[in-house]
Amino acid sequence: MGKTVDYYFSPTSPWAYLGHARFAEMTQRHGAAVKVKPVNLGNVFSVSGGLPLPKRAPQRQAYRLVELKRFSSYLKVPLTLQPKFFPAAGELAAQFIIAAGRAGGSEAAMKLAGAVLRACWAEERNIADAETLAAICKEQGLDAGKLAAAAQTDAVKAEYEGDTQEAMDRGVFGAPSYVIDGEIFWGQDRLEFVERKLAE
């Protein structure tokens, strides 16, 4: 039996985008189960000392762009440093991803999450827009109408809030975070350690 990974991320995180495809391939290769848990990063920051991007010191904001460019080049993953629709509200996209997971399981949620992250960071699309999200669902072969309706349900909204609270309760403070057997691995640059843990 493979391990289970709780995958906490924000649909608007460039770091989640940079790591998503590698993480998906890695978990498939090791036969690991993934629990896809998009979270409200603003709420997580509020209890963990993190700051939203516009409130960070200028030197931190500048270095973030250096690192994004550096990792994009190193990983050969296309990324727009300052996309047209960023910052964007991530709640609706998260709810679409949760709805996809409820309808089609982890594989569907991972597939849609990857497409949403790519839409924001490589395709300059507005992932806060319901029509854009529906179009992304169709492109992934998912039932856009069904997911759009499900995304607005109280059950899906409650799951989003619950996953966010769970992340805070477990000590998660940033995205992406991968939790295996209670151990937190923060950041796509920790995926080598995630793989070591999966191989145990």
Side-chain angles (χ1 to χ4, degrees), residues 125-185:
R125 298 165 76 180
N126 183 6
I127 65 165
D129 176 67
E131 289 186 7
T132 300
L133 290 167
I136 294 169
C137 289
K138 288 179 183 177
E139 291 159 13
Q140 298 305 309
L142 302 171
D143 188 329
K146 182 178 178 180
L147 294 185
Q152 299 288 359
T153 62
D154 289 343
V156 165
K157 291 177 181 179
E159 184 168 336
Y160 177 53
E161 292 175 5
D163 286 344
T164 299
Q165 184 61 53
E166 178 185 283
M168 293 187 288
D169 291 344
R170 299 183 77 179
V172 168
F173 56 89
S177 288
Y178 318 94
V179 182
I180 308 170
D181 296 338
E183 185 175 353
I184 298 172
F185 301 83

Side-chain angles (χ1 to χ4, degrees), residues 3 6 15 22 28 44-45 54 59 62 64 67 72 87 100 111 126 138 141:
K3 293 182 179 292
D6 292 322
W15 307 109
R22 284 181 296 141
Q28 290 171 2
V44 172
F45 283 165
Q59 57 268 46
R64 169 184 172 275
E67 281 279 75
S72 173
K111 186 177 183 181
N126 183 6
K138 288 179 183 177

Side-chain angles (χ1 to χ4, degrees), residues 105-122:
S106 176
E107 184 177 347
M110 285 290 286
K111 186 177 183 181
L112 184 57
V116 167
L117 288 161
R118 186 169 59 252
C120 179
W121 290 103

Side-chain angles (χ1 to χ4, degrees), residues 4-178:
T4 297
V5 186
D6 292 322
Y7 177 32
Y8 299 98
F9 68 100
S10 165
T12 63
S13 167
W15 307 109
Y17 164 63
L18 286 169
H20 186 84
R22 284 181 296 141
F23 173 62
E25 185 278 329
M26 182 183 298
T27 52
Q28 290 171 2
R29 183 159 33 85
H30 286 279
V34 181
K35 294 183 178 179
V36 183
K37 296 174 179 283
V39 300
N40 185 325
L41 206 53
N43 288 3
V44 172
F45 283 165
S46 72
V47 300
S48 63
L51 290 174
L53 183 60
K55 294 185 178 181
R56 294 176 196 168
Q59 57 268 46
R60 288 181 177 269
Q61 293 192 43
Y63 188 71
R64 169 184 172 275
L65 296 177
V66 171
E67 281 279 75
L68 286 174
K69 184 177 181 180
R70 184 178 287 155
F71 271 106
S72 173
S73 176
Y74 174 68
L75 298 170
K76 296 180 173 57
V77 176
L79 181 142
T80 303
L81 287 177
Q82 296 176 303
K84 182 178 179 180
F85 297 102
F86 181 83
E91 288 82 1
L92 186 59
Q95 289 163 206
F96 264 80
I97 293 165
I98 291 168
R102 285 177 160 237
S106 176
E107 184 177 347
M110 285 290 286
K111 186 177 183 181
L112 184 57
V116 167
L117 288 161
R118 186 169 59 252
C120 179
W121 290 103
E123 299 167 358
E124 296 206 78
R125 298 165 76 180
N126 183 6
I127 65 165
D129 176 67
E131 289 186 7
T132 300
L133 290 167
I136 294 169
C137 289
K138 288 179 183 177
E139 291 159 13
Q140 298 305 309
L142 302 171
D143 188 329
K146 182 178 178 180
L147 294 185
Q152 299 288 359
T153 62
D154 289 343
V156 165
K157 291 177 181 179
E159 184 168 336
Y160 177 53
E161 292 175 5
D163 286 344
T164 299
Q165 184 61 53
E166 178 185 283
M168 293 187 288
D169 291 344
R170 299 183 77 179
V172 168
F173 56 89
S177 288
Y178 318 94

